[in-house]
Amino acid sequence: MTESAAANSSPRLPPAYRLVARDSVGSTNDEARQLAEAGAEDGTLVWAREQLKGRGRRGRDWQSPRGNLYLSLILRPECSAEQAAQLGFVAALGMGDAIGTVAPPMIEVRYKWPNDVLINDRKAAGILLESMSTPDGDLDWLVLGIGVNITTFPEDTAFPATSLRFEGCPPALDDVTLLEAFARHFLSWVNRWLEDGFAPVRKTWRSHAFGLGDAIEVKLAEETLTGIFDDLDEDGGLLLKLADGGTRRISAGDVYRAS
Ligand code: BTN
């Protein structure tokens, strides 16, 4: 299908976005990165019905059949590359709120560090941040890639996955509806972040955090740590209280319940 054919069921987004609708792509993040490199403006949003080479965090694949949501949003906030990482939490809240508007009332949305969205403690959405900085450390562009399992989910993941359909969302719920809801809720959260900083984002994220105060395992590139998830720090790092009484700040890793 061509770009214009995909646009037949074109989502209606607030004017802050520029929609680039595709039918099938390798990865919306790759498309968005190319557009960002070519100067695409803040708010450019690449959306596809399927991905043939969807990518997850830490080099993993992201299964991307038709029926689920795949989007990558280009952002150019005036901030450091470090601060821009907070946008992963902003996006998780935007998607969590969007899911809340389409899901049945009894489902529980929680956030798993750093940027996963869980429904009933199983992963429904993942977020992949990719960015480019200027030589003086400022952010040039950030691509926020988000995948949501609406109709299908993988069975073989290290952390259990789910889909919105499996958790009781109506069969009529589709990627267009969820994209429109996300676009509204993300805009509201990103404006809050721009005006008030990370504090309100952190407060809401913490109040729905998976494993906060519990024993968790954090898989890093070279080691696995066990400890108590003590807090999310003021920059988005995970503070892990270790058995020896020390606290370790973690900036990248995968969280699991301690076995
Ligand atoms: C994760 O590992 O949890 C992050 C998954 C991110 C998947 C999304 S789908 C849209 C965008 N394009 C990609 O190739 N990846 C992200």
Side-chain angles (χ1 to χ4, degrees), residues 22-29 31 46-54:
R22 303 271 192 241
D23 184 56
S24 181
V25 294
S27 153
T28 55
N29 259 44
E31 301 271 318
V46 181
W47 162 65
R49 306 320 281 270
E50 72 167 353
Q51 299 185 118
L52 304 175
K53 286 191 177 164

Side-chain angles (χ1 to χ4, degrees), residues 25-31 46 48 51 53-64 69-73 115-117 123 125-130 143-148 254:
V25 294
S27 153
T28 55
N29 259 44
D30 292 344
E31 301 271 318
V46 181
Q51 299 185 118
K53 286 191 177 164
R55 297 189 282 109
R57 289 174 58 238
R58 312 183 89 202
R60 289 185 283 253
D61 292 336
W62 184 264
Q63 290 181 24
S64 307
L69 175 62
Y70 314 107
L71 72 99
S72 297
L73 176 61
N115 300 146
D116 293 345
V117 181
K123 178 165 168 171
I127 298 177
L128 174 67
L129 265 62
E130 297 181 313
V143 169
L144 260 178
I146 308 181
V148 188
D254 288 313

Side-chain angles (χ1 to χ4, degrees), residues 169-187:
C169 286
L173 172 68
D174 64 5
D175 52 351
V176 172
T177 310
L178 189 62
L179 172 55
E180 290 178 344
F182 168 75
R184 289 193 306 273
H185 288 285
F186 177 77
L187 202 54

